[in-house]
Short mmCIF file of all heavy atoms in Angstrom, two decimals:
data_model
loop_
_atom_site.label_atom_id
_atom_site.label_comp_id
_atom_site.label_asym_id
_atom_site.label_seq_id
_atom_site.Cartn_x
_atom_site.Cartn_y
_atom_site.Cartn_z
N LYS T 149 103.82 121.47 -8.40
CA LYS T 149 102.85 121.69 -9.39
C LYS T 149 101.42 121.91 -8.80
O LYS T 149 100.50 122.12 -9.64
CB LYS T 149 102.91 120.47 -10.42
CG LYS T 149 104.21 120.30 -11.09
CD LYS T 149 104.65 121.45 -11.98
CE LYS T 149 105.94 121.34 -12.54
NZ LYS T 149 106.69 122.54 -12.74
N LYS T 150 101.31 121.81 -7.61
CA LYS T 150 100.02 122.05 -6.93
C LYS T 150 99.65 123.50 -6.85
O LYS T 150 100.57 124.31 -6.84
CB LYS T 150 99.98 121.47 -5.54
CG LYS T 150 100.12 119.93 -5.42
CD LYS T 150 98.73 119.34 -5.57
CE LYS T 150 98.83 117.86 -5.33
NZ LYS T 150 97.62 117.18 -5.93
N PHE T 151 98.41 123.86 -6.80
CA PHE T 151 97.99 125.24 -6.66
C PHE T 151 97.82 125.44 -5.09
O PHE T 151 97.51 124.51 -4.40
CB PHE T 151 96.76 125.49 -7.44
CG PHE T 151 97.12 125.65 -8.91
CD1 PHE T 151 97.07 124.59 -9.81
CD2 PHE T 151 97.43 126.98 -9.45
CE1 PHE T 151 97.48 124.69 -11.15
CE2 PHE T 151 97.74 127.02 -10.78
CZ PHE T 151 97.79 125.94 -11.53
N PRO T 152 97.98 126.76 -4.69
CA PRO T 152 97.93 127.00 -3.26
C PRO T 152 96.62 126.51 -2.63
O PRO T 152 96.64 126.01 -1.55
CB PRO T 152 97.91 128.61 -3.28
CG PRO T 152 98.60 128.98 -4.47
CD PRO T 152 98.27 127.89 -5.53
N TRP T 153 95.50 126.69 -3.39
CA TRP T 153 94.23 126.32 -2.72
C TRP T 153 94.04 124.85 -2.71
O TRP T 153 93.09 124.29 -2.16
CB TRP T 153 93.01 126.96 -3.47
CG TRP T 153 93.35 127.18 -4.95
CD1 TRP T 153 93.92 128.22 -5.53
CD2 TRP T 153 93.04 126.31 -6.05
NE1 TRP T 153 94.00 128.09 -6.91
CE2 TRP T 153 93.44 126.96 -7.22
CE3 TRP T 153 92.38 125.09 -6.11
CZ2 TRP T 153 93.29 126.35 -8.45
CZ3 TRP T 153 92.24 124.50 -7.39
CH2 TRP T 153 92.68 125.11 -8.54
N GLN T 154 95.05 123.99 -3.09
CA GLN T 154 94.97 122.55 -2.95
C GLN T 154 95.76 122.06 -1.79
O GLN T 154 95.85 120.93 -1.51
CB GLN T 154 95.47 121.94 -4.25
CG GLN T 154 94.58 122.17 -5.46
CD GLN T 154 95.20 121.72 -6.75
OE1 GLN T 154 96.42 121.89 -6.96
NE2 GLN T 154 94.38 121.20 -7.70
N LEU T 155 96.41 123.17 -1.11
CA LEU T 155 97.22 122.77 0.13
C LEU T 155 96.57 123.27 1.39
O LEU T 155 95.82 124.08 1.36
CB LEU T 155 98.58 123.44 -0.12
CG LEU T 155 99.81 122.67 -0.83
CD1 LEU T 155 99.29 122.07 -2.10
CD2 LEU T 155 100.98 123.54 -1.05
N SER T 156 97.04 122.61 2.43
CA SER T 156 96.51 123.06 3.77
C SER T 156 97.11 124.47 4.24
O SER T 156 98.14 124.79 3.56
CB SER T 156 96.94 122.01 4.81
OG SER T 156 98.28 122.02 5.06
N GLY T 157 96.65 124.98 5.15
CA GLY T 157 97.09 126.33 5.61
C GLY T 157 98.54 126.34 6.03
O GLY T 157 99.35 127.26 5.69
N GLY T 158 98.94 125.27 6.75
CA GLY T 158 100.41 125.13 7.17
C GLY T 158 101.40 125.02 5.99
O GLY T 158 102.33 125.58 5.94
N MET T 159 100.85 124.21 5.08
CA MET T 159 101.70 124.08 3.87
C MET T 159 101.75 125.38 2.97
O MET T 159 102.90 125.60 2.53
CB MET T 159 101.18 122.95 2.93
CG MET T 159 101.20 121.58 3.51
SD MET T 159 100.18 120.48 2.64
CE MET T 159 101.29 119.58 1.54
N GLN T 160 100.68 126.21 3.01
CA GLN T 160 100.69 127.40 2.27
C GLN T 160 101.77 128.36 2.88
O GLN T 160 102.47 129.04 2.25
CB GLN T 160 99.32 128.01 2.27
CG GLN T 160 98.33 127.30 1.38
CD GLN T 160 97.00 128.01 1.41
OE1 GLN T 160 96.91 129.18 1.54
NE2 GLN T 160 95.91 127.29 1.09
N GLN T 161 101.62 128.32 4.30
CA GLN T 161 102.56 129.33 4.94
C GLN T 161 104.07 128.84 4.74
O GLN T 161 104.93 129.75 4.67
CB GLN T 161 102.21 129.30 6.47
CG GLN T 161 102.68 130.52 7.14
CD GLN T 161 102.42 131.92 6.48
OE1 GLN T 161 103.10 132.28 5.70
NE2 GLN T 161 101.38 132.47 7.02
N ARG T 162 104.29 127.53 4.76
CA ARG T 162 105.64 127.02 4.47
C ARG T 162 106.10 127.52 3.12
O ARG T 162 107.21 127.98 2.81
CB ARG T 162 105.75 125.55 4.57
CG ARG T 162 105.57 125.05 5.99
CD ARG T 162 106.20 123.74 6.28
NE ARG T 162 105.93 122.64 5.31
CZ ARG T 162 105.08 121.72 5.58
NH1 ARG T 162 104.41 121.63 6.74
NH2 ARG T 162 104.91 120.67 4.70
N ALA T 163 105.19 127.49 2.10
CA ALA T 163 105.43 127.89 0.77
C ALA T 163 105.87 129.32 0.74
O ALA T 163 106.71 129.82 0.05
CB ALA T 163 104.34 127.62 -0.18
N SER T 164 105.09 130.14 1.56
CA SER T 164 105.41 131.57 1.51
C SER T 164 106.70 131.86 2.24
O SER T 164 107.47 132.84 1.88
CB SER T 164 104.26 132.27 2.27
OG SER T 164 104.52 132.48 3.67
N ILE T 165 107.19 130.96 3.11
CA ILE T 165 108.45 131.16 3.69
C ILE T 165 109.56 130.80 2.71
O ILE T 165 110.59 131.53 2.55
CB ILE T 165 108.67 130.26 5.02
CG1 ILE T 165 107.70 130.71 6.11
CG2 ILE T 165 110.06 130.19 5.42
CD1 ILE T 165 107.64 129.85 7.27
N ALA T 166 109.29 129.73 1.87
CA ALA T 166 110.12 129.36 0.83
C ALA T 166 110.33 130.54 -0.13
O ALA T 166 111.42 130.89 -0.76
CB ALA T 166 109.73 128.16 0.12
N ARG T 167 109.21 131.21 -0.36
CA ARG T 167 109.27 132.39 -1.36
C ARG T 167 110.01 133.48 -0.80
O ARG T 167 110.85 134.14 -1.53
CB ARG T 167 107.86 132.84 -1.55
CG ARG T 167 107.68 134.01 -2.46
CD ARG T 167 106.25 134.51 -2.68
NE ARG T 167 105.66 134.79 -1.40
CZ ARG T 167 104.36 134.92 -1.20
NH1 ARG T 167 103.47 134.81 -2.19
NH2 ARG T 167 103.87 135.28 -0.03
N ALA T 168 110.00 133.69 0.55
CA ALA T 168 110.84 134.78 1.21
C ALA T 168 112.28 134.41 1.21
O ALA T 168 113.09 135.27 1.17
CB ALA T 168 110.24 135.08 2.60
N LEU T 169 112.61 133.16 1.21
CA LEU T 169 113.98 132.71 1.31
C LEU T 169 114.67 132.57 -0.08
O LEU T 169 115.89 132.74 -0.19
CB LEU T 169 114.10 131.37 2.01
CG LEU T 169 113.74 131.25 3.46
CD1 LEU T 169 113.68 129.85 3.93
CD2 LEU T 169 114.89 131.93 4.21
N CYS T 170 113.91 132.37 -1.18
CA CYS T 170 114.43 131.82 -2.39
C CYS T 170 115.42 132.88 -3.08
O CYS T 170 116.25 132.45 -3.75
CB CYS T 170 113.30 131.44 -3.32
SG CYS T 170 112.59 132.80 -4.17
N PHE T 171 115.23 134.16 -2.85
CA PHE T 171 116.21 135.06 -3.43
C PHE T 171 117.43 135.44 -2.45
O PHE T 171 118.19 136.27 -2.68
CB PHE T 171 115.59 136.33 -3.98
CG PHE T 171 114.82 137.15 -2.94
CD1 PHE T 171 115.38 138.33 -2.37
CD2 PHE T 171 113.51 136.80 -2.52
CE1 PHE T 171 114.67 139.06 -1.52
CE2 PHE T 171 112.84 137.54 -1.62
CZ PHE T 171 113.34 138.66 -1.14
N ASP T 172 117.40 134.56 -1.37
CA ASP T 172 118.54 134.53 -0.44
C ASP T 172 118.82 135.88 0.14
O ASP T 172 119.99 136.35 0.20
CB ASP T 172 119.82 134.04 -1.14
CG ASP T 172 120.73 133.42 -0.19
OD1 ASP T 172 120.24 133.07 0.85
OD2 ASP T 172 121.99 133.40 -0.36
N PRO T 173 117.76 136.60 0.66
CA PRO T 173 118.08 137.75 1.44
C PRO T 173 118.59 137.39 2.81
O PRO T 173 118.32 136.38 3.36
CB PRO T 173 116.63 138.36 1.61
CG PRO T 173 115.73 137.24 1.70
CD PRO T 173 116.38 136.20 0.90
N GLU T 174 119.43 138.30 3.44
CA GLU T 174 120.09 137.84 4.69
C GLU T 174 119.16 138.24 5.78
O GLU T 174 119.31 137.68 6.95
CB GLU T 174 121.41 138.35 4.90
CG GLU T 174 121.56 139.89 4.93
CD GLU T 174 122.94 140.30 5.16
OE1 GLU T 174 123.93 139.58 4.65
OE2 GLU T 174 123.16 141.27 5.90
N LEU T 175 118.21 139.09 5.58
CA LEU T 175 117.16 139.41 6.63
C LEU T 175 115.94 138.88 6.36
O LEU T 175 115.34 138.97 5.21
CB LEU T 175 117.22 140.97 6.77
CG LEU T 175 116.13 141.56 7.68
CD1 LEU T 175 116.45 141.10 9.12
CD2 LEU T 175 116.14 143.13 7.59
N LEU T 176 115.21 138.24 7.26
CA LEU T 176 113.98 137.67 7.16
C LEU T 176 113.00 138.40 8.18
O LEU T 176 113.24 138.33 9.39
CB LEU T 176 113.95 136.19 7.44
CG LEU T 176 112.96 135.31 6.81
CD1 LEU T 176 112.87 135.44 5.34
CD2 LEU T 176 113.27 133.83 7.16
N LEU T 177 112.00 139.04 7.55
CA LEU T 177 110.97 139.80 8.51
C LEU T 177 109.66 139.00 8.49
O LEU T 177 109.08 138.75 7.43
CB LEU T 177 110.77 141.18 7.91
CG LEU T 177 111.99 142.09 7.72
CD1 LEU T 177 111.59 143.40 7.09
CD2 LEU T 177 112.66 142.34 9.12
N MET T 178 109.30 138.54 9.71
CA MET T 178 108.19 137.68 9.80
C MET T 178 107.09 138.26 10.65
O MET T 178 107.36 138.52 11.84
CB MET T 178 108.56 136.25 10.26
CG MET T 178 109.67 135.68 9.43
SD MET T 178 110.10 134.05 9.92
CE MET T 178 109.02 132.99 9.05
N ASP T 179 105.90 138.48 10.09
CA ASP T 179 104.82 139.07 10.81
C ASP T 179 103.73 138.12 11.29
O ASP T 179 102.86 137.74 10.49
CB ASP T 179 104.24 140.23 9.94
CG ASP T 179 103.07 140.95 10.70
OD1 ASP T 179 102.99 140.78 11.90
OD2 ASP T 179 102.39 141.77 10.02
N GLU T 180 103.89 137.64 12.48
CA GLU T 180 103.00 136.58 13.02
C GLU T 180 102.71 135.50 11.94
O GLU T 180 101.57 135.15 11.63
CB GLU T 180 101.65 137.12 13.41
CG GLU T 180 101.79 138.12 14.60
CD GLU T 180 100.51 138.55 15.21
OE1 GLU T 180 99.56 137.72 15.19
OE2 GLU T 180 100.36 139.76 15.55
N PRO T 181 103.78 134.82 11.37
CA PRO T 181 103.39 133.97 10.28
C PRO T 181 102.57 132.80 10.60
O PRO T 181 101.93 132.17 9.74
CB PRO T 181 104.88 133.54 9.82
CG PRO T 181 105.72 133.72 10.96
CD PRO T 181 105.10 134.97 11.78
N PHE T 182 102.67 132.39 11.91
CA PHE T 182 101.90 131.19 12.25
C PHE T 182 100.65 131.52 13.04
O PHE T 182 99.97 130.54 13.64
CB PHE T 182 102.82 130.13 12.94
CG PHE T 182 104.10 129.97 12.29
CD1 PHE T 182 105.32 129.99 13.01
CD2 PHE T 182 104.19 129.66 10.96
CE1 PHE T 182 106.54 129.78 12.42
CE2 PHE T 182 105.36 129.52 10.27
CZ PHE T 182 106.62 129.52 11.11
N GLY T 183 100.31 132.72 13.07
CA GLY T 183 99.21 133.22 13.96
C GLY T 183 97.89 132.51 13.61
O GLY T 183 97.04 132.34 14.48
N ALA T 184 97.69 132.18 12.36
CA ALA T 184 96.33 131.64 11.96
C ALA T 184 96.28 130.13 12.03
O ALA T 184 95.34 129.48 11.69
CB ALA T 184 96.01 132.15 10.53
#
Side-chain angles (χ1 to χ4, degrees):
Chain T
K149 299 295 175 214
K150 292 273 185 199
F151 284 89
W153 30 273
Q154 294 168 321
L155 265 52
S156 71
M159 291 164 102
Q160 290 184 25
Q161 198 53 278
R162 291 209 308 260
S164 88
I165 292 170
R167 180 180 58 190
L169 288 171
C170 78
F171 58 101
D172 206 23
E174 64 177 34
L175 174 62
L176 207 53
L177 304 175
M178 306 181 87
D179 183 7
E180 294 188 42
F182 311 133

